[in-house]
Amino acid sequence: MSRGSWIFILSLLGMIGSWFGTVLYPQIQLGRMVETRTVPDGQVYPVARPGLAAQGREVYRSQGCYTCHSQQVRQEGVSVGLAITKVGTNQTALVEAILRIAPQWRRDQVTAGLERLPFQVMDGVAAAEAERARRPLEAAGATTMVTVRPVGADLARGWGLRRSVAADFLWDHPVMLGSQRVGPDLAGVGSRLPDENWLLVHLWDPQIHTPGSMMPPYRYLFEVRPAAEVASQDALLLPEGKGPGPGKVVVPRPEARALVAYLRSLEAKAPLFETPVILPAGLSGTSALSVHAAVERP
Amino acid sequence: MKVVEQRERPVETGRLPMVKGEAGQPGEKVSGGFWAVMGWVGGGAFGWVVAALLSLIASIKFHSPGFWADTPLLTYGRVRVAALQGMWWGGAVPLLFGAMLGWMGRSAPGGVRFSGLALLGAIVWHLGACLGIVGVLLGHTTGYDGWGMPNAAVWVCVAGLLLFTVSVTATFHNRGERGLQLAHGFLWAGYLWLGWVSLAAFVLLGLQPVRGVLQWLVDAWYVANAQMVAGTLLGWGILYAWLPVWTGRPLYSRYLGMMTFLGLVMLAGWTGVTPSAPVPAWLPVLATVTTVLCIVPWTAAWLNWRGSVSRCGCVLWRDAVACFAVVGCVAFFWSAVGKLGLHVPGISTVLEFTWWEPARHWAHVCGFLGLTGVAGTYAWLRSFPEREGRAVAARTQFWCLTAGLVLCVAPLAVAGIVQGLSWQDPSVPNVEVLRRTLMWLRLSTVGELLMLVGWILFCVTLSSLALKRGRACWSDGWRRITTPLQEQETAK
């Protein structure tokens, strides 16, 4: 066979190879994906976005919001720890046990921590160490939980509870992961900013809540109407001095309400098999850190 | 592949002379296709102007977020997507196709075959690109980063591409020299590759969309293949086609050329998946490994370039046409380094999602593909007498584009590093991170402005050449019509 034929065959292999490896095989692996169950609650995940949120996804696409906001939270690893969820009856013995297994704590810090449960006793240890430390605490009457907390710079910013996975986007079309972040990541914005009025005000004028923001105002998603014509519950609640003027109110158009519904539906936080998150109720990924820091403060 | 080396006239600097041996009817040999090639490159130049203008508007919004914010058509998200799509579909691709057709027509007796079809194809293609840009501005983008053109526009572009295919295939078949040059392989592979990935992306994203995160995977695959493989092959094809003409000697090594070719087609198509993508872990790992392995074809391309221009680098730099290729080549190697930075573990954690990727994109599409296309166009135009006396305009355009490119890419890259490093500290709020990058983003606006001026100059140069040629054709035709019959018979 001539050299030209070999080059042709190799080129064809390269052409088909990248398609097979990057498109066809992932299609075999992910194409038949169905809803999964959260761990350990067993809830169905993900649920398709409700109608208004689905309409909002179209507004998000049409406005090109994905050019400035990503929807993929990065994770650098997990931190295994131990948390106390119930103190039991013998607090003195429990404090002594905690001081034995976690000598970095001071007695007053432990006492303060036990008053605000759940109390993260250890963090960033090996799973075996957490299991070993669990026994003396349970012997002292406490109820404990080995915690698994995803960590990373994005998570520390509060952009999510865990990394984004393929299951999060199962029912989305189009999937707008974004490749650049001018603004913050929005994968978990529904959990972070659940207030509808806050989001609408942010769309009307980003400078109100976030001075210095480079986000453009989306005023064309709103209408300014005489106050007398509009029912009070439909009008946007703007801070004093930020409104359109006396006798006038700002009313969000359906597109703005749909966009906000979509943003509120972005809650990629369910613990899944591929992204385990085991934290006691009341202790989120970021609040675990803040509790830790609050307790550490003298 | 039997490779025939080109050996043509030495470089002449400062002016853009005619092809040797064509003094009687300058450019006659290649004139069968002037309007076809001009249709592609002229439209491409106009596409670049539109894309650069939109990009400038997007950049100005970092000076004042409220700038045209009340106009839905010109909100940042839409303008930026329109600029990126316009840059690719309206600027880079038609310019490269035009340069490819021009070079192939040059080596075929009688020039471009079916030039009417090629011209019609250009018109249809540009109509599709215009529809696409307007569609994106009206909010009909697809939502994908790479494959952003509305479906209707793609159908129109496909029609234009098919017409182009007929002409370029016939022109290639009609070539005077039957042996194949290295550039033929690069250009054909790039052209077919682009058709293949565009078709696959159109089907899998536009017509029968795949589910869930696979949409993003298909888009990432399309971007890697269209830009890193097809675009790169077309760009290097144009360079390899004209380098022997500019340097006056054959390419340094066709083996290095083949290594570049095979390395690109075997490896670069796998590099699209970003390190933190929400896909099975083997995909980002594979993308990282192949990106690192791409050092081999990139190095081969570098060695071949260095060997080919050794001892005549200064001559090339002074040449009013080849200097575009030199800067384009530098931009390519910069974008290759940028691509590596996005995949190497550790560094990628800092640079991902930052302005580093737009900087790399600018260097590759605007720098490498854009300037290579300009070099190919001007090199082809040297065959025509209308080109005489345009060296100053070309030089001005060159400096505008080069300075604009540097002022655009370097600040964006620095902004990317600043942004990435700032994000590593969770206590720094996002607004503060943005504030730290603002100075660099605003500096890049100057680059955008210079680039716009450069593309406008390119557009004006081509338009004036086309006008000149059109006027000459019209005068010639008019003279023939108005010549008395008796005189014609006497002449016979």
Side-chain angles (χ1 to χ4, degrees):
Chain A
M1 201 184 281
S2 69
R3 193 194 299 159
S5 310
W6 278 112
I7 290 173
F8 179 75
I9 288 169
L10 285 173
S11 308
L12 210 60
L13 277 178
M15 188 182 266
I16 294 167
S18 75
W19 181 75
F20 183 86
T22 321
V23 177
L24 186 62
Y25 189 71
Q27 164 68 24
I28 294 166
Q29 195 177 0
L30 299 172
R32 291 180 187 174
M33 186 189 257
V34 291
E35 294 100 329
T36 183
R37 298 263 173 191
T38 59
V39 179
D41 301 344
Q43 303 288 318
V44 173
Y45 184 85
V47 180
R49 297 186 201 286
L52 191 60
Q55 287 172 29
R57 186 174 55 215
E58 288 303 300
V59 180
Y60 187 90
R61 175 193 59 75
S62 153
Q63 300 298 327
C65 304
Y66 59 92
T67 54
C68 292
H69 296 280
S70 63
Q71 287 184 25
Q72 25 179 342
V73 176
R74 295 177 292 180
Q75 179 181 326
E76 285 154 25
V78 291
S79 177
V80 177
L82 186 66
I84 294 173
T85 53
K86 281 183 188 167
V87 174
T89 51
N90 194 350
Q91 188 165 342
T92 315
L94 181 59
V95 171
E96 293 304 325
I98 292 171
L99 290 173
R100 265 201 310 279
I101 62 160
Q104 73 272 21
W105 291 108
R106 291 198 312 270
R107 189 176 295 274
D108 57 326
Q109 288 176 327
V110 172
T111 312
L114 290 176
E115 283 168 9
R116 297 189 278 179
L117 294 175
F119 174 40
Q120 186 89 41
V121 181
M122 308 171 91
D123 200 19
V125 295
E129 196 182 335
E131 281 295 339
R132 262 201 310 277
R134 189 176 189 173
R135 284 180 222 132
L137 298 183
E138 291 192 343
T143 306
T144 62
M145 177 188 258
V146 174
T147 58
V148 177
R149 185 168 53 83
V151 291
D154 290 359
L155 300 169
R157 283 184 173 276
W159 285 348
L161 189 59
R162 55 154 175 83
R163 71 184 168 93
S164 303
V165 291
D168 296 334
F169 309 97
L170 185 61
W171 300 127
D172 279 340
H173 176 68
V175 171
M176 292 171 281
L177 294 183
S179 59
Q180 206 191 338
R181 289 174 182 164
V182 180
D185 187 276
L186 298 181
V189 70
S191 313
R192 202 165 70 232
L193 301 164
D195 183 1
E196 185 187 20
N197 194 67
W198 193 101
L199 290 165
L200 285 169
V201 170
H202 195 61
L203 287 175
W204 166 257
D205 184 0
Q207 301 297 328
I208 292 175
H209 290 315
T210 319
S213 169
M214 278 290 133
M215 179 173 150
Y218 287 86
R219 299 249 163 98
Y220 55 85
L221 296 178
F222 298 83
E223 281 176 294
V224 177
R225 288 200 210 154
E229 286 180 11
V230 182
S232 59
Q233 70 269 19
D234 292 340
L236 191 61
L237 297 174
L238 288 164
E240 197 64 36
K242 300 287 183 184
K248 288 183 179 173
V249 290
V250 177
V251 182
R253 289 178 191 268
E255 294 93 332
R257 290 207 184 274
L259 179 57
V260 166
Y262 172 65
L263 293 175
R264 291 174 73 203
S265 76
L266 294 173
E267 290 185 291
K269 64 173 183 181
L272 303 174
F273 176 75
E274 60 267 40
T275 53
V277 181
I278 306 172
L279 292 169
L283 197 67
S284 69
T286 47
S287 67
L289 279 178
S290 55
V291 167
H292 202 114
V295 171
E296 271 186 336
R297 265 183 237 123
Chain B
M1 190 193 301
K2 187 188 171 194
V3 178
V4 177
E5 304 295 353
Q6 280 185 322
R7 186 180 289 274
E8 297 192 25
R9 69 200 160 80
V11 175
E12 291 179 59
T13 59
R15 67 191 189 88
L16 305 164
M18 296 174 286
V19 173
K20 205 184 235 179
E22 293 170 359
Q25 280 292 317
E28 193 60 42
K29 180 184 165 188
V30 286
S31 63
F34 176 88
W35 293 109
V37 177
M38 203 48 122
W40 281 95
V41 297
F46 184 70
W48 271 114
V49 171
V50 173
L53 182 65
L54 290 170
S55 192
L56 179 67
I57 292 171
S59 189
I60 289 173
K61 285 175 187 278
F62 284 103
H63 297 255
S64 166
F67 178 67
W68 280 340
D70 292 332
T71 314
L73 281 172
L74 296 173
T75 193
Y76 180 81
R78 290 183 182 179
V79 171
R80 184 163 167 78
V81 174
L84 291 175
Q85 295 301 320
M87 212 178 274
W88 181 253
W89 292 80
V93 172
L95 193 58
L96 288 170
F97 280 0
M100 174 184 173
L101 187 64
W103 179 71
M104 286 198 177
R106 190 175 178 274
S107 55
V112 174
R113 295 295 307 274
F114 303 118
S115 58
L117 281 184
L119 179 60
L120 184 63
I123 293 166
V124 173
W125 174 280
H126 295 311
L127 181 70
C130 283
L131 273 177
I133 292 170
V134 172
V136 170
L137 290 175
L138 289 171
H140 298 297
T141 182
T142 58
Y144 306 113
D145 287 316
W147 186 261
M149 288 289 258
N151 281 2
V154 178
W155 281 117
V156 181
C157 284
V158 166
L161 194 66
L162 289 176
L163 293 171
F164 175 78
T165 307
V166 174
S167 174
V168 79
T169 309
T171 308
F172 172 71
H173 181 72
N174 200 37
R175 68 193 183 279
E177 181 64 65
R178 297 316 296 170
L180 290 177
Q181 294 179 28
L182 199 58
H184 281 121
F186 272 76
L187 290 171
W188 272 111
Y191 172 70
L192 294 173
W193 207 285
L194 190 63
W196 151 244
V197 293
S198 302
L199 181 71
F202 186 38
V203 172
L204 296 175
L205 295 176
L207 301 182
Q208 295 289 327
V210 287
R211 292 171 67 217
V213 83
L214 277 167
Q215 295 163 38
W216 181 87
L217 262 179
V218 171
D219 188 52
W221 171 80
Y222 163 75
V223 172
N225 279 273
Q227 290 182 12
M228 301 300 294
V229 185
T232 306
L233 287 173
L234 284 168
W236 278 106
I238 300 291
L239 287 179
Y240 288 157
W242 291 105
L243 254 182
V245 180
W246 294 326
T247 57
R249 61 186 187 212
L251 275 179
Y252 176 65
S253 164
R254 62 194 166 92
Y255 292 106
L256 283 174
M258 281 183 194
M259 191 184 278
T260 307
F261 178 86
L262 287 176
L264 286 173
V265 300
M266 298 298 284
L267 299 168
W270 298 78
T271 60
V273 183
T274 49
S276 66
V279 291
W282 64 271
L283 280 161
V285 171
L286 194 62
T288 298
V289 170
T290 46
T291 306
V292 173
L293 286 176
C294 275
I295 291 175
V296 175
W298 293 336
T299 309
W302 163 249
L303 290 174
N304 210 5
W305 170 264
R306 201 186 62 167
S308 297
V309 305
S310 66
R311 293 189 304 278
C312 59
C314 293
V315 179
L316 283 188
W317 184 250
R318 283 197 299 271
D319 186 277
V321 171
C323 55
F324 286 98
V326 174
V327 176
C329 207
V330 172
F332 172 77
F333 292 115
W334 196 95
S335 81
V337 173
K339 182 72 180 165
L340 268 179
L342 285 169
H343 284 272
V344 173
I347 302 173
S348 69
T349 316
V350 175
L351 297 179
E352 201 181 3
F353 299 126
T354 67
W355 287 98
W356 183 266
E357 168 57 19
R360 189 205 66 78
H361 181 87
W362 268 99
H364 189 76
V365 177
C366 204
F368 174 57
L369 302 181
L371 294 189
T372 305
V374 173
T377 305
Y378 277 153
W380 168 76
L381 277 170
R382 272 180 159 160
S383 313
F384 298 95
E386 292 87 356
R387 187 73 193 89
E388 286 288 342
R390 294 281 163 188
V392 176
R395 266 288 163 193
T396 315
Q397 183 204 339
F398 167 74
W399 283 114
C400 282
L401 286 176
T402 304
L405 191 66
V406 171
L407 278 173
C408 205
V409 172
L412 286 182
V414 175
I417 295 169
V418 170
Q419 194 179 19
L421 290 174
S422 303
W423 270 336
Q424 299 302 304
D425 181 1
S427 65
V428 181
N430 197 58
V431 173
E432 175 58 27
V433 175
L434 183 64
R435 197 175 291 138
R436 289 179 188 178
T437 60
L438 270 185
M439 185 185 77
W440 301 105
L441 298 182
R442 288 170 180 173
L443 189 59
S444 75
T445 309
V446 181
E448 306 257 15
L449 182 65
L450 281 172
M451 291 205 80
L452 174 63
V453 174
W455 289 118
I456 288 174
L457 282 174
F458 183 50
C459 208
V460 168
T461 306
L462 292 186
S463 306
S464 67
L465 286 174
L467 273 176
K468 224 174 186 180
R469 181 132 192 122
R471 209 180 302 139
C473 288
W474 173 257
S475 313
D476 189 43
W478 183 251
R479 197 172 54 247
R480 284 186 193 181
I481 292 166
T482 53
T483 304
L485 189 62
Q486 203 176 1
E487 254 184 53
Q488 279 184 15
E489 283 173 351
T490 312
K492 277 180 189 172

